[in-house]
Amino acid sequence: MAKPNVISKEALIQSAKTCIAENGLEKLTLQSVAKQANVTQGTVYYHFRTKENLMMEVVRHVCGSSWANVKNSLLPSSEKLKKALLSAKSRTKENADYHRLCLSLIVSSFQNERIKEQLSHLLQSENQCLTEELTRLWGKSPIDGVSLTTWGILVNALIDGLAIQALVYDDFSAEDVYLELEWILVRLTEKMM
C-alpha cells in the first residue's frame, strides 16, 4: 500500500537516484520513482510534472551536493580543487549515469527553453565556484590576458569534456588524465607562488 502523499521533494530525488543506480537511466520514469518511494505516481507528478523536470532536479542535487562538499571543506584551496577533481573523476566511471543524465538534458534543452535556462544557471554556478576557488588559490591569472573567470570556464569545460570521452570511449584512462589535469593545475599554482 502506498504511503500518504506527504513526502518531500528531497526524498523523491533520493528515490530517483536509487532508481537510476539500480535500473539505469533508461528505466527512469515518474512511475518507477513513485514505486521506489512507495507513493502514488500523482505525488511524483505533483512535485515534478515531467521526467525532464525530475532529471533536472537530480542533476541539480548531485551537482549542488558535490560543490557544497568542496566549498564547506576546511581544506586549503589547492586541496579543495583536488577534491573537486576527484569528485568529477568518480562520476566518469563509477557514477557515469550522472553525466549521461546531464547529456540527455542538454539534448532536451535544444527543444526545451526552460531546461536550457536551468542548465545555463547550473553551468554558471559551477563556473563561478571554480572561478572563486582559482581566485583564492592563485590570486591572479597565471597567464596575462586570461581572466580567472575564463580559467573557471575552461576548467569546467575540460571536466565536462573528459566526462563525455569517458562515456563514449571504453578504454579512456580517467585515472591518468585526471592526474595530469591535477598536475597542470599544480604547476600553474606553483608558477603563482
Side-chain angles (χ1 to χ4, degrees):
M1 178 131 196
K3 291 180 188 175
N5 292 337
V6 179
I7 189 168
S8 70
K9 199 173 188 177
E10 178 76 21
L12 291 173
I13 291 169
Q14 290 301 329
S15 292
K17 288 167 64 177
T18 300
C19 286
I20 293 168
E22 292 178 357
N23 305 311
L25 181 57
E26 297 77 23
K27 294 186 180 175
L28 178 69
T29 63
L30 298 181
Q31 182 178 10
S32 68
V33 173
K35 185 176 179 182
Q36 176 68 36
N38 198 27
V39 296
T40 65
Q41 186 174 342
T43 299
V44 179
Y45 178 81
Y46 171 79
H47 285 283
F48 300 105
R49 299 279 186 239
T50 67
K51 179 179 175 180
E52 287 78 18
N53 288 342
L54 172 63
M55 291 167 54
M56 188 68 224
E57 288 301 321
V58 170
V59 167
R60 193 184 335 268
H61 183 269
V62 170
C63 182
S65 297
S66 180
W67 281 111
N69 273 345
V70 171
K71 288 177 93 171
N72 295 334
S73 168
L74 299 176
L75 296 170
S77 288
S78 60
E79 293 301 312
K80 284 183 181 185
L81 203 52
K82 287 180 186 178
K83 188 174 183 175
L85 287 174
L86 279 173
S87 177
K89 182 180 73 173
S90 77
R91 290 190 302 270
T92 61
K93 292 287 183 189
E94 299 153 22
N95 299 316
D97 283 324
Y98 168 77
H99 287 292
R100 290 178 55 230
L101 189 57
C102 285
L103 291 172
S104 295
L105 285 169
I106 289 169
V107 170
S108 293
S109 77
F110 298 147
Q111 313 258 327
N112 184 325
E113 196 61 36
R114 197 176 47 69
I115 295 289
K116 180 180 176 183
E117 184 179 321
Q118 290 177 4
L119 284 172
S120 173
H121 289 295
L122 188 61
L123 280 172
Q124 289 173 29
S125 174
E126 289 180 336
N127 292 341
Q128 183 179 349
C129 286
L130 277 164
T131 299
E132 289 169 3
E133 288 308 316
L134 291 173
T135 300
R136 278 191 272 284
L137 185 61
W138 294 340
K140 66 179 188 115
S141 176
I143 299 175
D144 289 335
V146 180
S147 70
L148 287 166
T149 299
T150 296
W151 277 109
I153 293 167
L154 290 172
V155 170
N156 198 21
L158 277 169
I159 291 169
D160 289 343
L162 294 174
I164 291 169
Q165 290 197 38
L167 285 172
V168 297
Y169 178 33
D170 290 335
D171 294 329
F172 181 76
S173 177
E175 192 68 38
D176 293 339
V177 173
Y178 273 89
L179 189 62
E180 291 179 28
L181 177 56
E182 181 183 326
W183 184 84
I184 290 167
L185 294 171
V186 166
R187 299 298 290 172
L188 288 169
T189 301
E190 290 171 355
K191 180 180 176 182
M192 298 308 296
M193 306 243 164

